[in-house]
Amino acid sequence: MLDMIYEQTRAAISELCETAKLTQGSTVVVGCSTSEVAGSKIGTDSRPEVANQIFRALYEYTNSKGLFLCVQCCEHLNRAIVTQRKALSFAEPVNVVPQPKAGGSLAACAYNAFEDPIVVEEIKADAGLDIGFTMIGMHLKKVAVPLRLNNNKIGKATVLAARTRPKFIGGSRAQYDESFL
């Protein structure tokens, strides 16, 4: 089962990044309920071993593309974000160390695996994956565009995805850059 979770995660993150046309230096936020992946109700069955496989797939892929991975904590830490200091060198960190039952298994895994981890209260990511209804929307840039992934399951959890685009401003006489659409 763990090998399947790794492969499903790898497929989902790859599809998201390719569909969203992310470029080097872009940020990707991921929220994950390992309980949902394992077939339980969110917040009831934290699974560090599942988190390890999901994190490995996410981190290997994002690193290979020069993207910054940002992992959302659970509601017990107000959905704070774990990332690497180099991803958000300007951000003001908060003082907390995520644990499997206070932050979530994936956030705890990320904190322990990142070279120079920080936790921040919020970010504005370029794209994101929501694995198991974790509500990542608060960490996406203002105009989020839902994406329908073919790879929309990891274990028993539903995977939702979004990319972002700049706001359209200027009214009826404005012209827009088609590459942002």
Side-chain angles (χ1 to χ4, degrees):
M1 176 177 150
L2 292 176
D3 288 341
M4 178 188 73
I5 288 169
Y6 173 88
E7 293 302 327
Q8 289 174 320
T9 304
R10 181 79 182 199
I13 190 68
S14 172
E15 185 179 358
L16 167 68
C17 294
E18 289 171 18
T19 303
K21 298 180 179 132
L22 297 180
T23 58
Q24 189 170 359
S26 296
T27 53
V28 179
V29 64
V30 177
C32 176
S33 168
T34 58
S35 299
E36 290 279 335
V37 172
S40 299
K41 182 181 171 201
I42 191 170
T44 63
D45 190 17
S46 192
R47 300 280 182 109
E49 70 280 5
V50 169
N52 287 334
Q53 292 303 309
I54 292 170
F55 180 79
R56 187 168 63 93
L58 294 170
Y59 195 49
E60 286 174 3
Y61 185 84
T62 55
N63 255 355
S64 75
K65 300 296 182 184
L67 306 172
F68 292 113
L69 177 61
C70 303
V71 177
Q72 179 181 274
C73 295
C74 73
E75 66 180 293
H76 296 99
L77 296 185
N78 298 323
R79 294 189 171 83
I81 295 292
V82 179
T83 192
Q84 297 176 89
R85 190 172 308 276
K86 66 183 177 182
L88 300 173
S89 58
F90 58 88
E92 182 178 343
V94 294
N95 188 0
V96 69
V97 177
Q99 303 299 311
K101 294 193 181 284
S105 289
L106 187 63
C109 181
Y111 190 89
N112 290 321
F114 284 147
E115 184 177 311
D116 187 13
I118 61 169
V119 179
V120 297
E121 289 186 287
E122 63 183 334
I123 61 166
K124 297 297 178 194
D126 299 299
L129 284 180
D130 183 319
I131 304 166
F133 305 108
T134 59
M135 306 295 285
I136 63 165
M138 66 189 280
H139 293 300
L140 293 171
K141 289 179 179 175
K142 292 250 186 213
V143 184
V145 179
L147 297 175
R148 285 190 176 269
L149 299 181
N150 293 317
N151 300 291
N152 62 4
K153 287 283 193 192
I154 296 176
K156 304 232 187 257
T158 299
V159 177
L160 304 174
R163 66 174 179 86
T164 61
R165 66 162 175 78
K167 295 178 186 180
F168 293 141
I169 63 168
S172 61
R173 294 184 296 184
Q175 294 182 357
Y176 301 110
D177 184 336
E178 296 289 322
S179 70
F180 290 133
L181 301 177

